[in-house]
Amino acid sequence: MDNTPTSSAADRFPAGRLAFPHRDLTGIGQLERHEILYLLDQAAQWVELNRQRTKHTELLSGLTIINAFFENSTRTLLSFEIAGKRLGADVVNMHAAQSSVKKGETLIDTAITLNAMRADAIVIRHGSSGATQLIADKVDCPVLNAGDGQHEHPTQGLLDALALREALAQQGRGSRDALADFTGLTITICGDILHSRVARSNILCLQAMGASVRLCSPPALMPRGVEAMGAQPFHDFDAALDGSDVVMMLRLQSERMAGQFIPSAREYHHLYGLTRERLKRAAPDALVMHPGPMNRGVEIDSDVADMLDRSIITSQVEMGVAIRMACLDVLTRSARGVEGWS
């Protein structure tokens, strides 16, 4: 597939590497608005490829990508693996349970070991905030953050933005190929904000694109200082939903709670679960999102999650492969000697 920017894209973004000058992708916080839009535009071509019968290109042929996951994952790992293979790269998955980390090896020693294997890109998922940046500082190849502690999950924020842009285009509210942002949209993110790196990346990404972001959770699950990020906190879900154009539900991360923070799943659903009746408080055509995995009947009812005309949850999964293909493509252009990037 031709990765040469179109004339319209050339008008929208700086030329060559200036369109995306970063070696790594460790967080949305490091990106300018036009850099986010550039990655979304780059991903659009991969959306089209992934919908074809033949979903393969040799763009990254000869390159090796290591997916080093120190935390369990299904959809993120699978998505990165599919993305790398569809681009023609050799993809190696490293699971911490099978690595020397279990034998006491430090994260820095692991980084040095991975670097010695001459990978062309390393995708990192780790339970400690800042771990991906630590590894990025020790290796010679691009590093992509697949989630680090409670810090960020940048490709999730990007794929959510891409899914939302696709859905808005289908609603006739703007062309996905135009330099459109989310100005005028009110987006409510509800759930376990405190433990959610997805929430942080989405707050940064959506606000960079002009959206107004509301956050809703029980008091114990609302982190301090969200106002400093530009988001508006709520503890009343009904009030937070009032007139919202998009409702993004988050999973309760019970593995990080140790039985604290909420009285029970049933009580949580009563106050913060998204039901058809509660969704009526949002805008009439409000879109429903969830990064997954879903706890059906807790944060969201099945009949809401499966609404064909409102839910874009499966689209989020689809866009995840395209975004990760775009990120792998862009971050390896220097290594591949792409004109204007080396």
mmCIF file of all heavy atoms in Angstrom, residues 263-297:
data_model
loop_
_atom_site.group_PDB
_atom_site.id
_atom_site.type_symbol
_atom_site.label_atom_id
_atom_site.label_comp_id
_atom_site.label_asym_id
_atom_site.label_seq_id
_atom_site.Cartn_x
_atom_site.Cartn_y
_atom_site.Cartn_z
ATOM 1 N N PRO A 263 -19.306 -0.388 47.526
ATOM 2 C CA PRO A 263 -19.946 -1.336 48.449
ATOM 3 C C PRO A 263 -20.238 -2.682 47.815
ATOM 4 O O PRO A 263 -20.048 -3.725 48.435
ATOM 5 C CB PRO A 263 -21.233 -0.608 48.858
ATOM 6 C CG PRO A 263 -21.485 0.384 47.763
ATOM 7 C CD PRO A 263 -20.142 0.792 47.261
ATOM 8 N N SER A 264 -20.729 -2.684 46.562
ATOM 9 C CA SER A 264 -21.039 -3.935 45.866
ATOM 10 C C SER A 264 -21.253 -3.624 44.391
ATOM 11 O O SER A 264 -21.535 -2.484 44.006
ATOM 12 C CB SER A 264 -22.307 -4.579 46.436
ATOM 13 O OG SER A 264 -23.444 -3.793 46.135
ATOM 14 N N ALA A 265 -21.123 -4.660 43.566
ATOM 15 C CA ALA A 265 -21.354 -4.485 42.128
ATOM 16 C C ALA A 265 -22.808 -4.097 41.865
ATOM 17 O O ALA A 265 -23.094 -3.293 40.968
ATOM 18 C CB ALA A 265 -21.006 -5.771 41.390
ATOM 19 N N ARG A 266 -23.721 -4.648 42.662
ATOM 20 C CA ARG A 266 -25.143 -4.340 42.478
ATOM 21 C C ARG A 266 -25.433 -2.874 42.773
ATOM 22 O O ARG A 266 -26.147 -2.198 42.019
ATOM 23 C CB ARG A 266 -25.979 -5.235 43.392
ATOM 24 C CG ARG A 266 -27.483 -5.027 43.259
ATOM 25 C CD ARG A 266 -28.244 -6.016 44.108
ATOM 26 N NE ARG A 266 -29.685 -5.820 43.989
ATOM 27 C CZ ARG A 266 -30.595 -6.563 44.610
ATOM 28 N NH1 ARG A 266 -30.194 -7.578 45.391
ATOM 29 N NH2 ARG A 266 -31.882 -6.328 44.447
ATOM 30 N N GLU A 267 -24.863 -2.367 43.866
ATOM 31 C CA GLU A 267 -25.057 -0.966 44.214
ATOM 32 C C GLU A 267 -24.414 -0.052 43.176
ATOM 33 O O GLU A 267 -24.967 0.985 42.807
ATOM 34 C CB GLU A 267 -24.466 -0.686 45.595
ATOM 35 C CG GLU A 267 -24.594 0.761 46.070
ATOM 36 C CD GLU A 267 -26.031 1.172 46.356
ATOM 37 O OE1 GLU A 267 -26.909 0.282 46.416
ATOM 38 O OE2 GLU A 267 -26.272 2.386 46.502
ATOM 39 N N TYR A 268 -23.257 -0.459 42.677
ATOM 40 C CA TYR A 268 -22.571 0.329 41.651
ATOM 41 C C TYR A 268 -23.433 0.433 40.389
ATOM 42 O O TYR A 268 -23.572 1.501 39.809
ATOM 43 C CB TYR A 268 -21.212 -0.296 41.318
ATOM 44 C CG TYR A 268 -20.445 0.479 40.274
ATOM 45 C CD1 TYR A 268 -19.628 1.553 40.641
ATOM 46 C CD2 TYR A 268 -20.546 0.170 38.916
ATOM 47 C CE1 TYR A 268 -18.944 2.286 39.691
ATOM 48 C CE2 TYR A 268 -19.861 0.900 37.958
ATOM 49 C CZ TYR A 268 -19.060 1.960 38.351
ATOM 50 O OH TYR A 268 -18.387 2.690 37.398
ATOM 51 N N HIS A 269 -24.014 -0.688 39.981
ATOM 52 C CA HIS A 269 -24.864 -0.679 38.786
ATOM 53 C C HIS A 269 -26.065 0.229 38.978
ATOM 54 O O HIS A 269 -26.471 0.951 38.051
ATOM 55 C CB HIS A 269 -25.331 -2.094 38.460
ATOM 56 C CG HIS A 269 -26.231 -2.163 37.258
ATOM 57 N ND1 HIS A 269 -27.613 -2.124 37.370
ATOM 58 C CD2 HIS A 269 -25.964 -2.241 35.929
ATOM 59 C CE1 HIS A 269 -28.139 -2.188 36.166
ATOM 60 N NE2 HIS A 269 -27.170 -2.261 35.273
ATOM 61 N N HIS A 270 -26.614 0.226 40.167
ATOM 62 C CA HIS A 270 -27.778 1.068 40.444
ATOM 63 C C HIS A 270 -27.441 2.547 40.267
ATOM 64 O O HIS A 270 -28.257 3.318 39.735
ATOM 65 C CB HIS A 270 -28.280 0.810 41.866
ATOM 66 C CG HIS A 270 -29.395 1.719 42.298
ATOM 67 N ND1 HIS A 270 -30.663 1.636 41.763
ATOM 68 C CD2 HIS A 270 -29.423 2.748 43.196
ATOM 69 C CE1 HIS A 270 -31.434 2.577 42.310
ATOM 70 N NE2 HIS A 270 -30.698 3.256 43.179
ATOM 71 N N LEU A 271 -26.255 2.950 40.673
ATOM 72 C CA LEU A 271 -25.877 4.355 40.642
ATOM 73 C C LEU A 271 -25.146 4.762 39.364
ATOM 74 O O LEU A 271 -25.269 5.903 38.908
ATOM 75 C CB LEU A 271 -25.000 4.688 41.854
ATOM 76 C CG LEU A 271 -25.664 4.589 43.221
ATOM 77 C CD1 LEU A 271 -24.633 4.786 44.321
ATOM 78 C CD2 LEU A 271 -26.795 5.606 43.350
ATOM 79 N N TYR A 272 -24.359 3.831 38.813
ATOM 80 C CA TYR A 272 -23.466 4.213 37.715
ATOM 81 C C TYR A 272 -23.544 3.290 36.498
ATOM 82 O O TYR A 272 -22.774 3.472 35.551
ATOM 83 C CB TYR A 272 -22.014 4.260 38.215
ATOM 84 C CG TYR A 272 -21.802 5.311 39.274
ATOM 85 C CD1 TYR A 272 -21.788 4.963 40.629
ATOM 86 C CD2 TYR A 272 -21.640 6.648 38.932
ATOM 87 C CE1 TYR A 272 -21.608 5.924 41.603
ATOM 88 C CE2 TYR A 272 -21.458 7.620 39.905
ATOM 89 C CZ TYR A 272 -21.449 7.253 41.251
ATOM 90 O OH TYR A 272 -21.278 8.213 42.210
ATOM 91 N N GLY A 273 -24.455 2.341 36.496
ATOM 92 C CA GLY A 273 -24.594 1.472 35.335
ATOM 93 C C GLY A 273 -25.348 2.160 34.210
ATOM 94 O O GLY A 273 -26.316 2.888 34.446
ATOM 95 N N LEU A 274 -24.910 1.925 32.970
ATOM 96 C CA LEU A 274 -25.573 2.530 31.820
ATOM 97 C C LEU A 274 -26.679 1.606 31.330
ATOM 98 O O LEU A 274 -26.437 0.513 30.816
ATOM 99 C CB LEU A 274 -24.575 2.795 30.694
ATOM 100 C CG LEU A 274 -25.130 3.555 29.482
ATOM 101 C CD1 LEU A 274 -25.644 4.941 29.889
ATOM 102 C CD2 LEU A 274 -24.086 3.679 28.384
ATOM 103 N N THR A 275 -27.919 2.068 31.515
ATOM 104 C CA THR A 275 -29.108 1.346 31.069
ATOM 105 C C THR A 275 -29.772 2.134 29.945
ATOM 106 O O THR A 275 -29.447 3.304 29.695
ATOM 107 C CB THR A 275 -30.109 1.194 32.223
ATOM 108 O OG1 THR A 275 -30.558 2.512 32.621
ATOM 109 C CG2 THR A 275 -29.460 0.511 33.422
ATOM 110 N N ARG A 276 -30.714 1.493 29.255
ATOM 111 C CA ARG A 276 -31.448 2.193 28.198
ATOM 112 C C ARG A 276 -32.180 3.410 28.759
ATOM 113 O O ARG A 276 -32.213 4.473 28.136
ATOM 114 C CB ARG A 276 -32.447 1.243 27.527
ATOM 115 C CG ARG A 276 -31.847 0.375 26.441
ATOM 116 C CD ARG A 276 -32.933 -0.432 25.740
ATOM 117 N NE ARG A 276 -32.409 -1.228 24.646
ATOM 118 C CZ ARG A 276 -32.384 -0.857 23.378
ATOM 119 N NH1 ARG A 276 -32.846 0.333 23.040
ATOM 120 N NH2 ARG A 276 -31.898 -1.663 22.442
ATOM 121 N N GLU A 277 -32.769 3.256 29.916
ATOM 122 C CA GLU A 277 -33.514 4.354 30.522
ATOM 123 C C GLU A 277 -32.592 5.521 30.859
ATOM 124 O O GLU A 277 -32.907 6.687 30.599
ATOM 125 C CB GLU A 277 -34.230 3.859 31.786
ATOM 126 C CG GLU A 277 -35.193 4.867 32.390
ATOM 127 C CD GLU A 277 -36.346 5.226 31.458
ATOM 128 O OE1 GLU A 277 -36.759 4.372 30.642
ATOM 129 O OE2 GLU A 277 -36.832 6.373 31.549
ATOM 130 N N ARG A 278 -31.437 5.188 31.416
ATOM 131 C CA ARG A 278 -30.479 6.245 31.786
ATOM 132 C C ARG A 278 -29.900 6.924 30.548
ATOM 133 O O ARG A 278 -29.638 8.128 30.551
ATOM 134 C CB ARG A 278 -29.384 5.634 32.652
ATOM 135 C CG ARG A 278 -28.379 6.630 33.186
ATOM 136 C CD ARG A 278 -27.584 6.011 34.319
ATOM 137 N NE ARG A 278 -28.191 6.295 35.604
ATOM 138 C CZ ARG A 278 -28.119 5.510 36.673
ATOM 139 N NH1 ARG A 278 -27.491 4.355 36.602
ATOM 140 N NH2 ARG A 278 -28.675 5.864 37.813
ATOM 141 N N LEU A 279 -29.706 6.167 29.464
ATOM 142 C CA LEU A 279 -29.134 6.726 28.238
ATOM 143 C C LEU A 279 -30.036 7.797 27.635
ATOM 144 O O LEU A 279 -29.559 8.678 26.900
ATOM 145 C CB LEU A 279 -28.891 5.599 27.221
ATOM 146 C CG LEU A 279 -28.199 5.978 25.911
ATOM 147 C CD1 LEU A 279 -26.811 6.575 26.169
ATOM 148 C CD2 LEU A 279 -28.101 4.757 24.994
ATOM 149 N N LYS A 280 -31.329 7.767 27.960
ATOM 150 C CA LYS A 280 -32.257 8.768 27.437
ATOM 151 C C LYS A 280 -31.903 10.183 27.894
ATOM 152 O O LYS A 280 -32.340 11.172 27.292
ATOM 153 C CB LYS A 280 -33.694 8.439 27.861
ATOM 154 C CG LYS A 280 -34.257 7.180 27.222
ATOM 155 C CD LYS A 280 -35.655 6.879 27.744
ATOM 156 C CE LYS A 280 -36.210 5.594 27.134
ATOM 157 N NZ LYS A 280 -37.557 5.257 27.677
ATOM 158 N N ARG A 281 -31.125 10.302 28.957
ATOM 159 C CA ARG A 281 -30.722 11.621 29.443
ATOM 160 C C ARG A 281 -29.661 12.264 28.549
ATOM 161 O O ARG A 281 -29.451 13.469 28.593
ATOM 162 C CB ARG A 281 -30.197 11.514 30.883
ATOM 163 C CG ARG A 281 -31.254 11.057 31.878
ATOM 164 C CD ARG A 281 -30.677 10.923 33.287
ATOM 165 N NE ARG A 281 -31.700 10.516 34.230
ATOM 166 C CZ ARG A 281 -32.513 11.336 34.891
ATOM 167 N NH1 ARG A 281 -32.406 12.644 34.699
ATOM 168 N NH2 ARG A 281 -33.405 10.878 35.741
ATOM 169 N N ALA A 282 -28.973 11.438 27.780
ATOM 170 C CA ALA A 282 -27.970 11.946 26.854
ATOM 171 C C ALA A 282 -28.649 12.478 25.601
ATOM 172 O O ALA A 282 -29.875 12.448 25.469
ATOM 173 C CB ALA A 282 -26.978 10.842 26.512
ATOM 174 N N ALA A 283 -27.855 12.981 24.664
ATOM 175 C CA ALA A 283 -28.402 13.462 23.396
ATOM 176 C C ALA A 283 -29.115 12.322 22.670
ATOM 177 O O ALA A 283 -28.773 11.142 22.848
ATOM 178 C CB ALA A 283 -27.273 14.020 22.531
ATOM 179 N N PRO A 284 -30.116 12.637 21.853
ATOM 180 C CA PRO A 284 -30.925 11.590 21.206
ATOM 181 C C PRO A 284 -30.113 10.609 20.368
ATOM 182 O O PRO A 284 -30.488 9.439 20.254
ATOM 183 C CB PRO A 284 -31.893 12.391 20.326
ATOM 184 C CG PRO A 284 -31.991 13.723 20.984
ATOM 185 C CD PRO A 284 -30.634 13.993 21.557
ATOM 186 N N ASP A 285 -29.015 11.062 19.774
ATOM 187 C CA ASP A 285 -28.195 10.179 18.947
ATOM 188 C C ASP A 285 -26.836 9.888 19.593
ATOM 189 O O ASP A 285 -25.855 9.609 18.906
ATOM 190 C CB ASP A 285 -27.994 10.779 17.563
ATOM 191 C CG ASP A 285 -27.388 12.182 17.622
ATOM 192 O OD1 ASP A 285 -27.244 12.714 18.741
ATOM 193 O OD2 ASP A 285 -27.058 12.743 16.558
ATOM 194 N N ALA A 286 -26.792 9.966 20.914
ATOM 195 C CA ALA A 286 -25.529 9.779 21.635
ATOM 196 C C ALA A 286 -24.917 8.411 21.338
ATOM 197 O O ALA A 286 -25.621 7.399 21.269
ATOM 198 C CB ALA A 286 -25.750 9.931 23.134
ATOM 199 N N LEU A 287 -23.624 8.402 21.162
ATOM 200 C CA LEU A 287 -22.891 7.170 20.893
ATOM 201 C C LEU A 287 -22.389 6.555 22.191
ATOM 202 O O LEU A 287 -22.068 7.264 23.148
ATOM 203 C CB LEU A 287 -21.711 7.463 19.966
ATOM 204 C CG LEU A 287 -22.073 8.005 18.588
ATOM 205 C CD1 LEU A 287 -20.846 8.546 17.876
ATOM 206 C CD2 LEU A 287 -22.743 6.915 17.744
ATOM 207 N N VAL A 288 -22.312 5.229 22.205
ATOM 208 C CA VAL A 288 -21.882 4.484 23.400
ATOM 209 C C VAL A 288 -20.555 3.801 23.104
ATOM 210 O O VAL A 288 -20.401 3.132 22.073
ATOM 211 C CB VAL A 288 -22.939 3.432 23.806
ATOM 212 C CG1 VAL A 288 -22.431 2.576 24.971
ATOM 213 C CG2 VAL A 288 -24.246 4.121 24.190
ATOM 214 N N MET A 289 -19.599 3.956 24.035
ATOM 215 C CA MET A 289 -18.277 3.370 23.869
ATOM 216 C C MET A 289 -17.869 2.614 25.129
ATOM 217 O O MET A 289 -18.374 2.871 26.226
ATOM 218 C CB MET A 289 -17.236 4.460 23.567
ATOM 219 C CG MET A 289 -17.584 5.342 22.388
ATOM 220 S SD MET A 289 -16.352 6.643 22.060
ATOM 221 C CE MET A 289 -15.000 5.669 21.382
ATOM 222 N N HIS A 290 -16.943 1.678 24.961
ATOM 223 C CA HIS A 290 -16.364 0.938 26.086
ATOM 224 C C HIS A 290 -15.057 0.328 25.598
ATOM 225 O O HIS A 290 -15.034 -0.362 24.574
ATOM 226 C CB HIS A 290 -17.314 -0.162 26.556
ATOM 227 C CG HIS A 290 -16.970 -0.735 27.910
ATOM 228 N ND1 HIS A 290 -15.737 -1.293 28.196
ATOM 229 C CD2 HIS A 290 -17.690 -0.834 29.054
ATOM 230 C CE1 HIS A 290 -15.720 -1.707 29.445
ATOM 231 N NE2 HIS A 290 -16.893 -1.427 29.998
ATOM 232 N N PRO A 291 -13.937 0.571 26.297
ATOM 233 C CA PRO A 291 -12.656 0.028 25.841
ATOM 234 C C PRO A 291 -12.509 -1.468 26.052
ATOM 235 O O PRO A 291 -11.595 -2.070 25.476
ATOM 236 C CB PRO A 291 -11.634 0.808 26.673
ATOM 237 C CG PRO A 291 -12.371 1.151 27.928
ATOM 238 C CD PRO A 291 -13.788 1.419 27.493
ATOM 239 N N GLY A 292 -13.382 -2.066 26.838
ATOM 240 C CA GLY A 292 -13.320 -3.489 27.104
ATOM 241 C C GLY A 292 -12.171 -3.860 28.032
ATOM 242 O O GLY A 292 -11.248 -3.079 28.219
ATOM 243 N N PRO A 293 -12.230 -5.055 28.593
ATOM 244 C CA PRO A 293 -13.380 -5.970 28.548
ATOM 245 C C PRO A 293 -14.539 -5.447 29.390
ATOM 246 O O PRO A 293 -14.325 -4.740 30.369
ATOM 247 C CB PRO A 293 -12.812 -7.270 29.131
ATOM 248 C CG PRO A 293 -11.694 -6.822 30.022
ATOM 249 C CD PRO A 293 -11.099 -5.612 29.363
ATOM 250 N N MET A 294 -15.752 -5.779 28.973
ATOM 251 C CA MET A 294 -16.946 -5.281 29.655
ATOM 252 C C MET A 294 -17.385 -6.204 30.770
ATOM 253 O O MET A 294 -17.316 -7.423 30.651
ATOM 254 C CB MET A 294 -18.100 -5.154 28.656
ATOM 255 C CG MET A 294 -17.950 -4.057 27.643
ATOM 256 S SD MET A 294 -19.426 -3.933 26.585
ATOM 257 C CE MET A 294 -19.245 -5.404 25.565
ATOM 258 N N ASN A 295 -17.863 -5.601 31.851
ATOM 259 C CA ASN A 295 -18.593 -6.328 32.885
ATOM 260 C C ASN A 295 -20.074 -6.061 32.636
ATOM 261 O O ASN A 295 -20.639 -5.086 33.124
ATOM 262 C CB ASN A 295 -18.204 -5.837 34.285
ATOM 263 C CG ASN A 295 -16.760 -6.152 34.631
ATOM 264 O OD1 ASN A 295 -16.302 -7.269 34.445
ATOM 265 N ND2 ASN A 295 -16.035 -5.158 35.131
ATOM 266 N N ARG A 296 -20.682 -6.901 31.818
ATOM 267 C CA ARG A 296 -22.090 -6.698 31.493
ATOM 268 C C ARG A 296 -22.946 -6.840 32.748
ATOM 269 O O ARG A 296 -22.720 -7.733 33.564
ATOM 270 C CB ARG A 296 -22.543 -7.716 30.442
ATOM 271 C CG ARG A 296 -21.908 -7.483 29.062
ATOM 272 C CD ARG A 296 -22.269 -8.600 28.095
ATOM 273 N NE ARG A 296 -21.685 -8.416 26.768
ATOM 274 C CZ ARG A 296 -22.324 -7.927 25.717
ATOM 275 N NH1 ARG A 296 -23.604 -7.585 25.835
ATOM 276 N NH2 ARG A 296 -21.720 -7.789 24.552
ATOM 277 N N GLY A 297 -23.885 -5.933 32.885
ATOM 278 C CA GLY A 297 -24.743 -5.946 34.053
ATOM 279 C C GLY A 297 -24.139 -5.224 35.244
ATOM 280 O O GLY A 297 -24.777 -5.128 36.293
#
